[in-house]
C-alpha cells in the first residue's frame, strides 16, 4: 500500500463509474426538487398566473428534461466529479501557462458562501456595497503597484476578453487622436491565440512575428513590420517557452517610435512578481489573469477575470462603471465620456476579486516574491531532471535559464520509437497525473509539451512527476504499443477519432446524438 | 517471378478490403552526393561514386520508414519490386511483400523505376511510398502523374521536390495514417533539376508538375487536424485578401503554385499551374507568359508579383519561376512582391528563411531581410528571406 | 536582527533548507542567478509597496468577514432588483456540486482524466437543448451580453450583412456591450416601442428592415419584463428579408413560456444565471447560444463544442472536439472572433439545476413566478400615485411609474432602504421617455408577506415622505 518509494510511481486507477448520460436515468414521475407554490390568497387573487400568457407564447409541450429523484441526481454528479482530475487532487504541473496554483480554501469558502458576497445584487445602492467596493478599490491599487501602471478594470471575464478590452481601448485611443490609418496589430507566434484573435475581432489586421533560433522574434523582424499603420503590439514575455526576451524594451521603444501602443499579455507573470514589471519595460497596457497568477480557481474553465491595467493617459477609455473613493465612501462612477462602454454585464466577477484580494493580503510583498522565486526555482529544477530523460529535448535556448515554465519536445522519442507527445499525454493519466498541455497551434516546436511547476508544488511532487515521465519514456522504448494504445486505467479508453468534423458525426447534445443515430444504422465509426 | 503473399489464416475480422501499399526504393539515390559528386543519375556517375566508396543510403532510410508502417501490417498488402528495389527492405523489416516485375540486380536504372510504378498502378495500389531524390520523384511523375498518391522517404542529397516527408520515420507514420484514412491529400511540387548544370555548380530547377501526396500535418496536433477544410480555408482567406487589395490600374503577375491558383479561381480566371499568368482589373491579360513577354508587359505599367513558396526548400524565386528574371524583377521593383503561403508552410521551414536565387547576386541581396507574407484574410507573418 | 522569513503553507519549497538544496542542484549560487536573463534595467528595484500581510488563516478570515459585513445583502434585506441579474432559488445540491474540489479546480484537461467534466458540460448542452428545444449549443460564454453580441456577429457572417435591428427597450447592459463589440464594421439600428404595451413597433420594423439587415434581435421577455406577443410575426418579417431572427430569452421562463424555436427563431441566446447561480453581485452571469441543427449555424459558433463519440472500448461514450479549427485555439485570428476561459462551473451548475427541476419543476417555477409577480403588480399599482407603465402581460419583471407621486425613484428607493428594502431599478436615466419609472423584479423567492411588506412600505414612503 502506498506509493512505491523507490520508483515514486502509484498504482493509480481513476474512479470509473460507467455513468450513463443523465437522460438515460429518467423515470417518469420522479421529482428532483419541489418548488415553492404561491399562497392560496395569491392564487385567489390572480388565478393560475399562466392564463395571462398570450396563447401564441404559451409553452404547450413541456420540455423533455429528464425526471430524476434528488438522490440519484446528487450521486450522478458526484460520480462525474470523481471522474474529473481537478488541480486539488493531482500534481498539476501539466497545464503549462495556466499557472495551476493552489486556491486557498479559506478564501473559497467565504467568497462563495458568505451572504455578503453570494447574496448581493450588483445594482444595490453604493452605500450598501461598501465592503465590495473597498475590495475592488484596493485590489486595483495592489495591481497598480505590482505592474507599475496607473489604473485597472476588472470587468473582463477572462484573459481573452482582457485582450479584447485592450484592443478596444487602443482603437478608441487612435480614433480620439484622429488617426485613421492605424489598422494593424503586431503579435508573435508564441503568444496566446487570443492576442491575435481578439484584436482581429476588434477590426485589426494582424501581423505575426516568427521566433528565430533564440525562441523569440528578432528586433529587426519587428522593425520591418512596424509602420505608421501599426496601432499596437501585443506580446507576452516570457512566452510559453519560458524564455525571457531581454530586448523587450527595444521592442517597446521601436513601437513607440512609430506612434504605436504596447500591450503586455501577462498570463505568464507568475515568475516575475516583485521582480520585473510592465512599467519598467515601457508598456502602456497590460492584463493579468486572476485565475492564473492570483489564485482564483479554474472552475472547469470559468470564474475568470482579466484584470486590465493602463497608464493614466489611457485610463479615460476604460470601461464603466469605475470605483472611486471620496475620502469617506466608495462609489461607482458611471459617467465617462471617453469610455469604450462595456465589455461585460455589471462589473465582472466580484467573488473572484475577493479571492485575489485575500491571496495578496495573506502573502504580502515578501510572499509574492517568494511565490515568484519558488516557481522559477521549481521550473529550473524540473527542467534539469527532465532533460535527463531519454527522448526529451528543449528546442530553444536550451542552455539558458527559463523563468516559470518551459516547452519541451519529444521529437527524439518520436524518431526513435514512433511514440509521440499525444501518446505520452494520454498515458500519463494512468499514473494519476493530469494530461499535460502541448502547445497552441500551429506547433512550431514538434511533439511539444509545456509544463509549469508553480510555487504550489513541493520538491517531492516534482520528483514524482519526473518519475512518471521517465517511466513512460522507458515504456516507449521497450513496449511502444502500450503507450500508443493508452489510456488504460481511465474512465474510458482511447477515442480513435477525437477530431469531429464531418457533419454526420457532430453530436453536441444528447438529442442530436439520438437523431443522428436513428437516421443512420451505424453513424459513429467505431 | 511474383511471390504469393503468405496466408495469415483465421484472425480478427478484417476490413472490407486491405489497403495496398506500393514500396519502391531507388537504391542509388544520393550516392553521388556523399562522395562529393552531385546527383547520381547516369551509369557513369554511379560507377565513379562506387569507386569513391559511396554506399547506398536509401535502403536504410526505407527500412526506417517501413518499421513505422509495420504497426498496421495486418491491414495492408505490400506490393514491391524485386531485390534492392524494395523486396530486400520489406523483408528486412519482417514484413511480407507481394513482389512483381523483374530487374537486373545491381544495375537498376530510371526506366526500372518508371516501369515499376506503372505496374504497381495496374495492381491498384492506394499509396506509393518511395525512397529517392528529385530524380526519383521526376520519374514517378512521368510514369503516373496524379493518378496515384505518392510519398517520398528522403534519401538523396538535397531534395527540392515537396513530395518528401521530413524524415524517414515520419514518412512511415504519415503513410500509415493515410492508409488508415486519417489524412487527406494535397498536391506537392515535383522539381526537375538539371543534373549536368548541377554538377557544374549551378542549380537549374524547373517546376515539372505536381504529385498527389498525403498531407503531413506535423505542425498540428494530429487529433485536431481539420484536414482539407483548414487548408482550403487558408487558401480562400489568402485569395480574398489579395483580391481585396487589388488596384484596378495595376498589372498582377500571378506565379505558379496552388495557393496562387486559388486567387485565379476566386477571380474565375483560368490558371496555369506551372506558369505565370497576368491579370489586370480582375481580367486575364495573358497566360503562361515567358520572360520576354513579361518584359514587354511590365515596361510601362505598375505591377505587383504574387509569389508562392515552391518546392520543399522554401524558394520564392529561382526555382520553378525563372520567367521572373532579374530584368523583370528590377523593373517591377522588389517592394511590389506579394508572397502568399499558409502559416503551416512557414512553420514547416523550422526557422530557415525563405530563399531567393534570381541569378543576380545584388538583386538577391536587396531581397534579403524581412518580408510580410500573406497567410489569410487580413493576416500576415513576417518571414526572413535569404539567399544560400 | 530582522525576523526570519516565514515559510508559506501555499509555497512548499519556501522551506530554506529545501530551497538551498534545490538551488545547489540547479547549479545556482543565489536565487537571482535564475533571473540572469532579465537585464538589470528591466528589473524592479526594491520591494513592492503592499500592506503588511495577514499571515495566519484565522486573522485573514476575520478580516474578510469584516469586509463583507460592510455589505448589505439580500438575506437581511428584501430585494426587488432584477435587470439582468435575479434572485432565484438555488437548490442545495447545486452548491454541493459546484463546491466539489474536482470541478472547482479543473481546467483544460483532456477527455480522459477529465471525462467527468466533459460529460457534465455535454449534459449542460443537452439539458439546455431540451429546454430551448434546439439541437446545438456551444460551451458557455461570459454572459448574456456576450451571447447577444456573438449571435449578432454570427448572423452577420452567415448573411454577409452588417446591420442589426435592436429594440429601443433593449437592456442597457446589452446595448453598451453590443456597441463596443459591433465596431468597426457593424451598425445598430433602433426600433421604437408601443407606448401602451411596450411591444416592439412592428410598423417601424417594417420601415427600417432592408436587404442590408443581418439580423433582428428581439428580447423576449423584454428587459422591461413584458412578453412580445407578436414575436412570430417579427420573425417572419426578418425571414422575408433574408435576415436572421435572434431571440434573447431568460431560460427560467421556458417552463411556461414558449421556446424561441417555437415561434421561428433559429438562433436563441441569453443569460442563464437564473438556473442555479447565486447573484454574487453579477459574478453568476453566464451566456448561452443555441441554434437549430444546420451546418450553416454550427460552423459559426466561436467557442469550443464537445461532441459525444465512440472510444475503442465496447459500449463506451467518449468526447471529442467539434470543428476545432473553427475556434481561435485552432486557427488564431482566422477563427471565429475569439474564445477563452468563460463560465464552465456555472454550466455544470445549470446542468444540476435542470436535472433536479425536470419538466414539472420548471413549469411550477414559471407558474409561481407568474403568480407572485402578478400579485405584486396588482397590489402595487393600487397604491395612490403608482401606475403600471405597460398594459401587457409580463414575466417576473414589470415597470412601475411614479410620476404622480411627485417623488423621484431615487428618493423613493433611498427611503425604502430604511425599511430594509431594495426597490426596483431606477429607469429614469436609461429610459427618460418613461418618466420616473422603476423596474421591479418578483421571483419565486418572494412570499406574499414580502410583497405586502413592500406595499405598505411604499405607501408610507409616498404618503409621508
Amino acid at each position: 500500500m502506498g506509493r512505491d518509494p523507490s520508483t515514486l510511481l502509484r498504482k493509480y486507477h481513476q474512479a470509473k463509474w460507467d455513468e450513463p448520460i443523465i437522460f438515460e436515468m429518467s423515470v417518469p414521475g420522479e421529482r428532483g426538487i419541489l418548488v415553492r407554490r404561491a399562497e392560496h390568497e395569491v392564487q385567489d387573487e390572480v388565478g393560475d398566473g399562466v392564463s395571462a400568457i398570450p396563447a401564441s407564447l404559451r409553452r404547450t409541450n413541456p420540455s423533455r428534461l429528464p425526471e430524476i429523484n434528488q438522490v440519484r441526481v446528487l450521486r450522478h454528479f458526484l460520480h462525474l466529479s470523481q471522474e474529473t482530475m481537478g488541480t486539488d487532487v493531482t500534481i498539476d504541473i501539466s497545464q503549462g501557462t495556466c499557472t495551476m496554483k493552489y486556491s486557498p480554501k479559506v478564501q473559497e469558502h467565504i467568497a462563495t458562501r458568505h451572504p455578503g458576497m453570494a447574496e448581493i445584487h450588483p445594482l444595490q445602492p453604493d452605500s450598501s456595497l461598501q465592503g465590495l467596493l473597498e475590495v475592488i478599490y484596493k485590489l486595483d491599487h495592489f495591481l497598480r503597484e505590482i505592474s507599475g501602471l496607473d489604473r485597472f478594470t476588472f470587468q473582463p471575464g477572462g484573459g481573452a476578453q482582457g485582450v479584447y478590452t485592450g484592443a478596444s481601448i487602443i482603437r478608441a485611443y487612435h480614433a480620439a487622436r484622429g488617426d485613421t490609418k492605424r489598422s494593424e496589430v503586431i503579435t508573435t507566434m508564441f503568444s496566446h491565440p487570443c492576442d491575435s484573435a481578439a484584436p482581429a475581432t476588434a477590426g485589426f489586421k494582424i501581423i505575426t512575428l516568427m521566433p528565430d533560433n533564440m525562441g523569440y522574434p528578432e528586433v529587426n523582424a519587428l522593425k520591418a513590420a512596424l509602420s505608421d499603420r501599426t496601432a499596437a503590439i501585443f506580446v507576452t514575455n516570457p512566452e510559453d517557452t519560458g524564455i525571457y526576451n531581454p530586448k523587450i524594451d527595444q521592442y517597446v521603444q521601436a513601437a513607440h517610435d512609430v506612434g504605436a501602443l504596447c500591450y503586455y499579455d501577462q498570463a505568464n507573470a507568475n515568475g516575475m512578481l516583485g521582480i520585473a514589471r510592465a512599467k519598467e519595460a515601457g508598456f502602456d497596457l497590460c492584463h493579468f489573469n486572476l485565475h492564473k497568477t492570483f489564485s482564483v480557481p479554474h472552475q472547469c474553465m470559468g470564474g475568470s477575470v482579466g484584470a486590465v491595467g493602463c497608464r493614466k493617459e489611457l485610463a479615460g477609455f476604460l470601461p464603466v462603471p469605475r470605483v472611486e473613493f471620496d475620502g469617506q465612501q466608495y462609489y461607482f462612477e458611471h459617467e465617462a465620456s471617453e469610455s469604450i462602454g462595456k465589455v461585460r454585464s455589471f462589473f465582472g466577477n466580484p467573488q473572484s476579486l475577493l479571492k485575489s484580494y485575500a491571496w495578496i493580503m495573506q502573502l504580502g510583498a515578501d510572499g509574492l516574491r517568494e511565490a515568484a522565486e519558488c516557481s522559477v526555482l521549481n521550473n529550473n529544477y524540473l527542467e534539469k531532471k527532465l532533460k535527463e530523460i531519454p527522448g526529451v529535448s528543449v528546442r530553444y535556448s536550451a542552455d539558458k535559464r527559463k523563468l516559470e515554465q518551459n516547452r519541451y519536445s519529444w521529437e527524439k522519442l518520436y524518431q526513435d520509437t514512433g511514440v509521440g507527445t499525444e501518446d505520452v499525454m494520454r498515458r500519463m493519466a494512468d499514473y494519476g497525473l493530469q494530461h499535460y498541455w502541448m502547445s497552441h497551434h500551429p506547433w512550431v516546436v514538434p511533439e511539444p509539451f509545456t509544463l509549469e511547476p508553480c510555487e504550489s508544488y513541493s520538491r517531492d511532487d516534482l520528483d514524482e512527476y519526473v518519475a512518471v515521465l521517465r517511466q513512460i519514456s522507458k515504456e516507449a522504448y521497450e513496449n511502444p504499443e502500450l503507450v500508443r494504445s493508452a489510456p488504460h486505467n481511465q474512465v474510458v479508453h482511447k477515442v480513435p477519432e477525437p477530431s469531429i468534423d464531418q457533419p454526420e458525426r457532430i453530436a453536441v447534445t444528447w438529442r442530436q446524438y439520438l437523431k443522428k443515430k436513428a437516421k443512420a444504422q451505424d453513424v459513429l465509426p467505431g | 517471378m511474383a511471390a504469393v503473399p503468405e496466408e495469415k489464416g483465421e484472425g480478427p475480422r478484417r476490413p472490407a478490403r486491405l489497403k495496398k501499399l506500393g514500396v519502391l526504393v531507388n537504391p542509388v539515390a544520393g550516392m553521388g552526393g556523399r562522395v562529393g559528386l552531385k546527383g547520381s543519375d547516369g551509369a557513369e556517375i554511379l560507377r565513379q561514386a562506387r569507386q569513391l566508396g559511396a554506399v547506398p543510403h536509401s535502403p536504410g532510410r526505407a527500412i526506417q520508414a517501413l518499421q513505422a508502417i509495420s504497426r498496421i501490417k495486418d491491414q495492408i498488402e505490400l506490393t514491391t519490386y524485386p531485390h534492392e528495389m524494395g523486396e530486400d527492405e520489406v523483408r528486412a523489416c519482417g514484413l511480407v511483400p507481394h513482389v512483381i516485375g523483374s530487374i537486373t540486380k545491381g544495375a537498376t536504372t530510371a526506366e526500372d523505376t518508371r516501369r515499376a510504378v506503372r505496374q504497381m498502378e495496374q495492381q491498384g495500389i492506394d499509396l506509393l511510398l518511395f525512397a529517392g531524390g528529385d530524380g526519383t520523384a521526376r520519374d514517378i511523375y512521368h510514369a503516373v502523374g496524379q493518378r496515384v498518391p505518392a510519398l517520398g522517404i528522403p534519401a538523396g542529397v538535397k531534395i527540392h521536390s515537396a513530395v518528401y516527408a521530413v524524415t524517414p520515420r515520419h514518412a512511415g507514420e504519415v503513410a500509415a495514417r493515410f492508409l488508415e484514412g486519417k489524412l487527406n491529400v494535397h498536391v506537392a511540387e515535383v522539381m526537375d533539376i538539371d543534373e549536368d548544370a548541377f554538377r557544374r555548380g549551378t542549380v537549374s530547377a524547373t517546376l515539372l508538375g505536381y504529385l498527389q501526396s498525403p498531407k503531413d500535418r506535423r505542425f498540428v496536433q494530429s487529433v485536431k487536424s481539420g484536414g482539407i477544410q483548414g487548408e482550403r480555408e487558408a487558401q480562400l482567406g489568402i485569395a480574398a485578401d489579395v483580391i481585396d487589395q487589388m488596384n484596378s490600374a495595376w498589372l498582377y503577375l500571378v506565379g505558379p503554385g496552388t495557393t496562387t491558383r486559388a486567387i485565379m479561381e476566386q477571380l474565375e480566371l483560368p490558371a496555369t499551374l506551372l506558369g505565370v499568368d497576368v491579370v489586370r482589373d480582375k481580367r486575364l491579360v495573358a497566360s503562361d507568359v515567358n520572360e520576354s513577354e513579361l518584359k514587354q508587359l511590365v515596361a510601362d505599367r505598375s505591377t505587383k508579383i504574387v509569389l508562392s513558396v515552391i518546392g520543399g526548400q522554401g524558394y520564392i524565386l529561382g526555382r520553378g519561376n525563372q520567367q521572373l528574371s532579374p530584368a523583370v524583377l528590377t523593373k517591377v521593383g522588389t517592394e511590389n512582391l506579394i508572397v502568399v503561403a499558409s502559416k503551416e508552410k512557414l512553420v514547416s521551414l523550422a526557422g530557415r528563411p525563405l530563399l531567393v536565387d534570381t541569378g543576380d547576386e545584388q538583386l538577391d541581396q536587396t531581397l534579403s531581410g524581412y518580408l510580410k507574407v500573406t497567410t489569410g484574410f487580413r493576416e500576415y507573418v513576417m518571414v526572413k528571406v535569404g539567399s544560400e | 536582527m530582522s525576523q526570519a522569513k516565514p515559510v508559506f503553507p501555499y509555497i512548499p519549497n519556501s522551506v530554506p533548507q529545501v530551497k538551498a538544496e534545490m538551488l545547489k542542484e540547479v547549479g545556482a549560487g543565489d536565487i537571482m542567478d535564475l533571473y540572469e536573463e532579465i537585464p538589470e534595467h528591466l528589473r524592479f528595484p526594491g520591494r513592492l509597496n503592499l500592506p503588511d500581510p495577514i499571515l495566519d488563516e484565522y486573522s485573514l478570515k476575520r478580516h474578510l468577514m469584516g469586509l463583507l459585513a460592510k455589505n448589505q445583502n439580500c438575506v437581511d434585506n428584501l430585494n426587488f432588483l432584477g435587470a439582468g441579474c435575479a434572485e432565484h432559488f438555488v437548490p442545495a445540491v447545486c452548491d454541493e456540486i459546484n463546491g466539489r474540489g474536482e470541478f472547482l479546480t479543473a481546467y483544460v484537461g483532456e477527455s480522459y482524466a477529465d471525462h467527468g467534466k466533459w460529460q457534465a458540460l455535454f449534459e449542460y448542452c443537452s439539458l439546455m437543448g431540451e429546454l430551448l428545444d434546439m439541437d446545438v449549443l456551444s460551451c458557455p460564454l461570459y454572459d448574456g451580453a456576450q451571447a447577444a453580441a456573438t449571435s449578432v456577429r454570427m448572423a452577420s457572417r452567415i448573411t454577409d450583412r452588417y446591420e442589426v435591428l435592436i429594440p429601443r427597450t433593449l437592456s442597457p447592459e446589452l446595448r453598451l456591450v453590443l456597441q463596443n463589440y459591433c465596431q468597426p464594421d457593424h451598425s445598430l439600428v433602433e426600433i421604437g416601442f408601443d407606448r401602451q404595451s411596450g411591444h416592439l413597433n412592428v410598423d417601424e420594423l417594417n420601415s427600417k428592415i432592408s436587404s442590408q439587415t443581418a439580423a433582428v434581435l428581439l428580447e423576449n421577455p423584454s428587459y422591461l419584463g413584458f412578453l412580445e406577443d407578436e414575436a412570430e410575426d417579427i420573425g417572419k418579417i426578418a425571414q422575408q428579408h433574408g435576415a436572421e431572427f435572434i431571440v434573447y430569452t431568460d431560460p427560467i421562463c421556458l417552463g411556461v413560456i414558449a421556446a424561441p424555436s417555437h415561434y421561428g427563431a433559429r438562433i436563441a441566446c441569453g443569460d442563464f444565471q437564473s438556473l442555479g447561480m447565486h447573484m454574487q453581485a453579477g459574478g453568476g452571469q453566464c451566456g448561452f447560444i443555441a441554434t437549430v441543427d444546420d451546418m450553416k449555424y454550427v460552423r459559426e459558433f466561436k467557442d469550443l463544442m464537445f461532441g459525444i463519440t465512440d472510444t475503442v472500448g465496447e459500449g463506451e461514450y467518449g468526447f471529442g472536439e467539434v470543428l476545432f479549427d473553427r475556434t481561435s485555439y485552432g486557427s488564431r485570428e482566422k477563427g471565429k472572433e475569439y474564445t477563452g476561459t468563460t463560465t464552465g462551473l456555472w454550466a455544470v451548475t445549470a446542468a444540476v439545476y435542470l436535472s433536479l427541476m425536470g419538466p414539472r419543476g420548471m413549469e411550477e417555477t414559471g407558474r409561481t413566478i407568474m403568480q407572485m409577480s402578478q400579485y405584486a403588480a396588482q397590489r402595487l399599482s393600487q397604491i395612490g400615485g403608482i401606475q403600471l407603465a405597460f398594459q401587457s402581460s409580463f414575466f417576473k419583471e414589470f415597470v412601475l411609474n411614479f410620476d404622480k407621486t411627485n417623488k423621484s425613484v431615487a428618493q423613493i428607493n433611498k427611503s425604502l432602504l430604511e425599511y430594509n428594502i431594495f426597490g426596483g431599478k431606477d429607469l429614469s436615466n436609461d429610459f427618460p421617455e418613461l418618466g420616473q419609472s422603476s423596474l421591479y423584479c418578483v421571483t419565486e423567492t418572494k412570499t406574499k408577506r414580502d410583497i405586502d411588506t413592500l406595499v405598505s412600505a411604499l405607501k408610507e414612503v409616498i404618503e409621508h415622505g
Side-chain angles (χ1 to χ4, degrees), chain C residues 253-322:
Chain C
C253 80
L254 298 177
V256 294
I257 311 264
S261 59
H262 297 164
Y263 49 86
R266 294 170 70 73
I267 303 176
C269 60
D271 199 299
F272 63 96
Q273 175 263 323
S274 45
L275 304 180
M277 267 48 77
H278 296 274
M279 290 181 289
Q280 300 164 97
Q285 307 306 120
C286 35
F288 70 88
I289 299 179
T291 70
V292 297
D293 188 1
D294 181 337
M295 284 308 289
K296 182 172 85 166
Y297 298 98
V298 176
R299 263 195 284 270
E300 299 304 334
F301 277 87
K302 75 174 188 65
D303 294 296
L304 293 175
M305 294 166 90
F306 298 153
I308 194 167
T309 185
D310 291 340
T311 75
V312 297
E314 188 74 37
E316 279 180 355
Y317 299 126
F319 297 97
E321 291 194 28
V322 171

Side-chain angles (χ1 to χ4, degrees), chain B residues 2-71:
Chain B
V4 175
E6 197 180 73
E7 284 304 312
K8 292 277 176 179
E10 289 303 297
R13 184 181 67 83
R14 294 218 181 132
R17 162 175 98 71
L18 286 179
K19 294 285 182 164
K20 288 193 177 150
L21 176 67
V23 176
L24 184 73
V25 179
N26 176 354
V28 302
M31 276 180 63
R34 295 227 145 58
V35 289
L37 303 175
K38 290 187 180 157
S40 52
D41 282 16
E44 176 54 29
I45 296 295
L46 205 51
R47 195 189 60 77
Q48 281 183 34
R50 285 203 169 105
Q51 265 196 333
L52 291 166
V55 175
H57 276 257
S58 30
R61 304 294 184 92
I63 288 170
Q64 279 178 43
L66 289 168
Q67 275 164 350
I69 297 240
S70 50
R71 69 175 177 81

Side-chain angles (χ1 to χ4, degrees), chain B residues 232 236 239 243 246 254 260-272 277-279 281-285 287:
Chain B
R232 186 73 189 134
L236 292 177
I243 294 169
M246 276 184 168
V254 182
T260 44
R261 179 172 59 174
I263 298 170
M264 300 299 280
E265 275 171 8
Q266 290 303 297
L267 290 171
E268 294 179 338
L269 298 173
T272 316
D277 299 322
V278 186
V279 173
D281 197 16
K282 303 189 181 171
R283 285 195 282 263
L284 191 63
V285 170
S287 273

Side-chain angles (χ1 to χ4, degrees), chain C residues 73-259:
Chain C
N73 61 58
C74 298
V75 175
D76 300 331
N77 293 273
L78 210 50
N79 169 47
F80 293 96
L81 286 164
C85 173
E87 188 181 347
H88 286 284
F89 163 60
V90 175
V93 173
C94 286
D95 286 341
E96 180 72 20
I97 296 300
N98 69 23
R100 292 284 300 191
E102 298 93 336
F103 281 139
L104 185 67
T105 60
Y107 200 31
V108 290
E110 296 271 340
S111 64
Y112 306 100
D114 273 6
H115 178 92
K117 175 194 81 189
W118 288 57
Q119 182 170 339
L121 291 173
F122 174 77
E123 290 179 356
Y124 151 79
C125 289
S126 302
L127 292 159
M128 289 291 281
E130 289 302 346
L131 192 65
L132 292 159
D133 214 358
M134 275 172 153
D135 286 350
V136 183
L137 277 99
S138 69
C139 281
L141 295 93
Y142 299 113
D143 59 5
Q146 181 65 50
T150 291
S151 296
V152 154
R153 285 183 70 150
M154 281 169 75
S156 173
R157 288 193 289 272
I158 291 168
T159 59
D160 204 10
R161 302 174 181 179
Y162 295 89
E163 188 187 81
V164 182
L165 272 50
I166 58 172
R168 166 77 189 105
T169 53
L170 191 77
S171 152
E173 299 280 321
L174 257 67
R175 179 190 300 268
L176 282 172
V177 170
L178 268 171
Q179 271 169 358
N180 185 54
Y181 205 71
C182 283
Q183 288 188 44
D185 298 322
H186 301 75
S187 61
L188 298 172
V189 175
E190 214 173 66
I191 311 290
F193 62 98
D194 175 88
R195 205 46 203 83
Q196 295 306 309
S197 62
H199 295 160
L200 187 86
N201 186 325
V202 177
D203 290 334
E204 196 178 330
L205 171 68
N206 266 317
S207 73
K208 287 187 173 168
I209 195 168
S210 74
S211 58
Q212 297 309 309
T213 309
V216 174
L217 174 67
L218 187 71
E219 268 184 313
N220 195 18
S222 165
Y223 169 72
L224 298 178
F226 53 80
L227 295 168
E228 295 270 11
D229 57 5
E230 286 180 280
E232 190 162 3
D233 291 334
I234 292 167
K236 289 202 172 100
I237 294 170
Q239 213 180 23
Q240 277 156 16
H241 288 84
E244 290 296 331
F245 180 41
I246 304 171
V247 172
Y248 182 97
T249 190
D250 182 355
I252 204 165
C253 80
L254 298 177
V256 294
I257 311 264

Side-chain angles (χ1 to χ4, degrees), chain A residues 93 376-389 404 406 408 451-453 461-463 465-466 469, chain C residues 22 26:
Chain A
I93 291 169
V376 171
L377 177 58
N378 279 359
N379 189 40
N380 280 273
Y381 177 88
L382 185 72
E383 180 180 351
K384 174 172 188 288
K385 300 255 164 175
L386 286 178
K387 287 198 315 207
E388 293 163 4
I389 297 177
E404 86 297 358
N406 206 347
Y408 304 89
L451 306 179
E452 183 181 353
D461 290 335
L462 304 182
D463 290 340
Y465 201 92
V466 171
L469 290 185
Chain C
M22 289 176 72
V26 300

Side-chain angles (χ1 to χ4, degrees), chain A residues 203 206 208 218 414 443 499, chain B residues 173 218-219 223 370 378 380:
Chain A
I206 309 295
T208 305
E218 271 189 16
Y414 177 70
W443 284 359
S499 174
Chain B
E173 285 295 328
R218 71 195 299 264
F219 302 102
V223 299
Y370 284 98
R378 298 162 64 98
Y380 316 93

Side-chain angles (χ1 to χ4, degrees), chain A residues 123-129 329, chain C residues 72-74 76-81 409-424 440 454 457-458 461 465:
Chain A
L123 299 174
Q124 282 174 216
D126 293 349
S127 58
S128 69
L129 291 176
Q329 288 265 301
Chain C
Q72 301 256 23
N73 61 58
C74 298
D76 300 331
N77 293 273
L78 210 50
N79 169 47
F80 293 96
L81 286 164
V409 171
Q411 284 172 312
I412 290 170
N413 279 354
K414 188 148 178 244
S415 304
L416 281 175
L417 280 179
E418 287 157 41
Y419 293 81
N420 295 106
I421 295 176
F422 295 140
Y440 272 77
L454 170 67
L458 265 173
V461 166

Side-chain angles (χ1 to χ4, degrees), chain A residues 341-370:
Chain A
K342 292 183 81 78
V343 295
R344 195 172 187 270
S345 307
F346 309 117
F347 32 91
N349 279 325
Q351 76 283 24
S352 299
L353 302 181
L354 181 67
K355 296 175 193 181
S356 295
Y357 169 85
W359 190 77
I360 296 172
M361 285 301 291
Q362 199 176 8
L363 289 178
D366 289 337
L368 256 56
R369 180 142 187 156
E370 188 69 28

